[in-house]
C-alpha cells in the first residue's frame, strides 16, 4: 500500500498484463484487469477502457462477490462498452448458470458519477487506440464562510434565521487517473494538472520504443513527460503501466537519469514484485 500526498493507493499495473488502482480512502477502484482477491470487497469500480488488461476481471469480480455473499457491484464504464458488456454477462450467465447481478452505468466524458455525498468522479476523454476515458475524483468540503468566522454564535443563528447562506462549499480535485492514453490525455481536463495526486501511465521509457512509437500504440513515453516537466502542479505523481520489458532497477535508474529533480522528488514509480 502506497501513501502519496496523504492518499492511500493500492495499485498494480503492468502494461498489457494487469491494471487495478484501488483507493481505499474513498472505497473506489479504477479498472480490474485480473481481479485479485483483495479487490473483491470493492463495490464500485470505474473502468477506463475495454482492453483486457483493464477490464478482463469484470465477470470474475462479479461472480466471486456473489459467491461470497456480497451485494451487487456497480461498474461505471464508457458508454460504448455497455452493449458488449451486456452480451458478455449474458454469455456468462448461460455458462455459469448464475445471476451475476450488478449495476452497469454508462458515464460519458464530461458527466459525473455521484459516489458519496462528499465525493464525485468526473470522466474525461483520453486518446488511446480504443474509446477511453480518465477520471477526476473531486472532494466537496463545506465550511463556515470566512466572512462570518469571527461572529459570535447568537449572531450566526440570527443570520441563518434570516436566510443568509453561511456555509461555503469548495470542490478540490484529489486524484486524476488517465488510464491508458497518449500524452495529449493530460489536456483532457484542466483538473488533471492540479489534482493532488496524478496517476499517469508511462509505458515506454527509453529508445527501445521512442516517443513516436509510443504515440502510435496509444501510450506515453518518458521523454514526453520530461518535455512537459514544468507543466505538472501535482503534489504527487504515480507513474504506472510500465512495459514488462523494463526491470525494477531499469525503471528507477531511467527516472533518476531523465526526470528533472523537481519532478523526480514528487514522482513514484509503481513497480511490480
Ligand atoms: Zn493497458
Ligand atoms: Zn489499453
Amino acid at each position: 500500500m502506497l501513501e502519496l500526498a496523504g492518499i492511500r493507493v493500492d495499485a498494480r499495473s503492468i502494461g498489457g498484463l494487469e491494471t487495478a488502482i484501488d483507493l481505499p480512502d474513498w472505497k473506489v477502484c479504477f479498472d480490474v484487469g485480473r481481479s485479485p482477491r483483495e479487490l473483491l470487497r470493492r463495490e464500485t469500480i470505474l473502468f477506463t477502457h475495454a482492453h483486457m488488461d483493464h477490464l478482463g476481471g469484470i465477470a470474475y469480480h462479479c461472480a466471486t462477490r456473489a459467491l461470497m455473499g456480497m451485494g451487487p457491484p456497480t461498474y461505471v464504464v464508457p458508454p460504448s462498452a455497455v452493449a458488449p458488456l451486456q452480451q458478455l454477462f449474458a454469455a456468462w450467465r448461460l455458462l455459469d448458470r448464475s445471476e451475476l447481478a450488478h449495476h452497469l452505468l454508462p458515464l460519458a466524458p464530461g458527466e459525473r458519477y455521484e459516489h458519496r455525498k462528499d465525493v464525485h468522479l468526473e470522466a474525461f476523454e483520453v486518446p488511446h487506440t480504443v474509446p477511453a476515458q480518465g477520471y477526476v475524483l473531486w472532494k466537496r468540503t463545506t465550511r463556515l464562510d470566512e466572512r462570518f468566522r469571527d461572529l459570535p454564535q447568537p449572531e450566526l443563528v440570527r443570520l441563518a434565521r434570516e436566510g443568509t447562506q453561511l456555509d461555503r462549499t469548495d470542490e478540490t480535485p484529489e486524484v486524476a487517473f488517465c488510464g491508458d492514453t497518449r500524452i495529449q490525455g493530460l489536456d483532457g481536463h484542466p483538473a488533471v494538472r492540479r489534482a493532488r495526486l496524478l496517476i499517469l501511465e508511462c509505458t515506454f521509457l527509453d529508445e527501445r520504443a521512442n516517443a513516436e512509437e509510443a504515440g502510435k500504440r496509444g501510450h506515453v513515453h518518458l521523454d514526453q513527460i520530461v518535455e512537459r516537466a514544468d507543466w505538472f502542479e501535482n503534489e504527487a505523481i504515480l507513474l504506472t503501466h510500465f512495459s514488462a520489458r523494463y526491470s525494477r532497477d531499469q525503471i528507477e535508474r531511467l527516472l533518476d537519469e531523465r526526470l528533472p529533480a523537481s519532478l523526480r522528488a514528487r514522482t513514484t514509480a509503481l513497480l511490480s514484485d
Side-chain angles (χ1 to χ4, degrees):
M1 181 86 70
L2 298 166
E3 193 171 323
L4 304 165
I7 298 164
R8 287 186 301 155
V9 186
D10 182 15
R12 58 218 85 213
S13 177
I14 305 171
L17 294 183
E18 179 191 20
T19 289
I21 311 286
D22 189 45
L23 304 173
D25 297 335
W26 296 292
K27 294 191 168 60
V28 67
C29 180
F30 300 122
D31 290 340
V32 174
R34 267 207 294 214
S35 197
R37 195 164 174 172
E38 310 84 80
L39 286 185
L40 293 177
R41 67 174 187 277
R42 190 60 64 234
E43 197 177 302
T44 305
I45 298 174
L46 294 95
F47 289 93
T48 58
H49 66 298
H51 274 153
M52 195 63 90
D53 56 322
H54 296 256
L55 192 130
I58 193 169
Y60 181 91
H61 181 266
C62 183
T64 313
R65 274 182 60 90
L67 203 66
M68 296 174 86
M70 300 185 221
T74 294
Y75 300 133
V76 178
V77 301
S80 63
V82 170
L85 280 171
Q86 284 168 339
Q87 291 173 18
L88 179 109
F89 275 105
W92 268 115
R93 282 185 190 108
L94 290 174
L95 291 162
D96 196 51
R97 308 278 168 102
S98 65
E99 202 185 332
L100 296 175
H102 64 276
H103 309 287
L104 195 58
L105 299 182
L107 194 75
E111 291 180 344
R112 50 161 73 182
Y113 167 68
E114 297 293 337
H115 178 53
R116 289 191 337 203
K117 206 172 139 235
D118 60 336
V119 174
H120 73 269
L121 292 110
E122 191 180 0
F124 61 94
E125 197 171 358
V126 297
H128 188 41
T129 54
V130 296
Q133 60 198 35
Y135 296 98
V136 177
L137 186 148
W138 292 88
K139 190 170 90 176
R140 254 190 303 269
T141 22
T142 304
R143 60 168 78 90
L144 186 63
D145 195 307
E146 280 164 26
R147 290 178 296 155
F148 307 114
R149 195 168 290 167
D150 298 327
L151 294 184
Q153 189 65 20
E155 181 67 4
L156 291 174
V157 173
R158 189 186 63 77
L159 286 169
R161 276 209 198 104
E162 285 172 2
T164 308
Q165 181 67 42
L166 299 176
D167 292 333
R168 209 186 80 177
T169 300
D170 292 317
E171 290 186 340
T172 48
E174 295 289 299
V175 180
F177 175 53
C178 297
D180 280 6
T181 182
R182 297 191 176 97
I183 191 71
Q184 291 80 6
L186 288 175
D187 305 318
H189 195 296
V192 171
R193 185 178 189 178
R194 59 192 175 90
R196 288 211 304 123
L197 170 62
L198 168 64
I199 304 173
L200 176 64
E201 74 128 281
C202 180
T203 307
F204 301 108
L205 296 162
D206 63 10
E207 59 291 334
R208 281 178 275 175
N210 65 27
E212 195 189 329
E213 284 157 352
K216 272 190 199 140
R217 296 195 214 173
H219 293 297
V220 172
H221 193 287
L222 178 59
D223 287 353
Q224 298 169 315
I225 297 174
V226 173
E227 273 168 27
R228 284 188 176 226
D230 296 334
W231 181 88
F232 299 91
E233 293 174 8
N234 318 91
E235 230 174 288
I237 298 166
L238 178 63
L239 295 182
T240 65
H241 204 269
F242 300 111
S243 161
R245 73 181 70 180
Y246 304 108
S247 70
R248 295 167 62 102
D249 291 346
Q250 283 172 336
I251 293 168
E252 291 284 17
R253 183 176 50 77
L254 286 162
L255 295 186
D256 288 346
E257 283 174 8
R258 301 199 178 177
L259 285 180
S262 63
L263 195 55
R264 183 69 187 99
R266 289 179 280 155
T267 302
T268 302
L270 181 64
L271 302 171
S272 54
D273 300 324

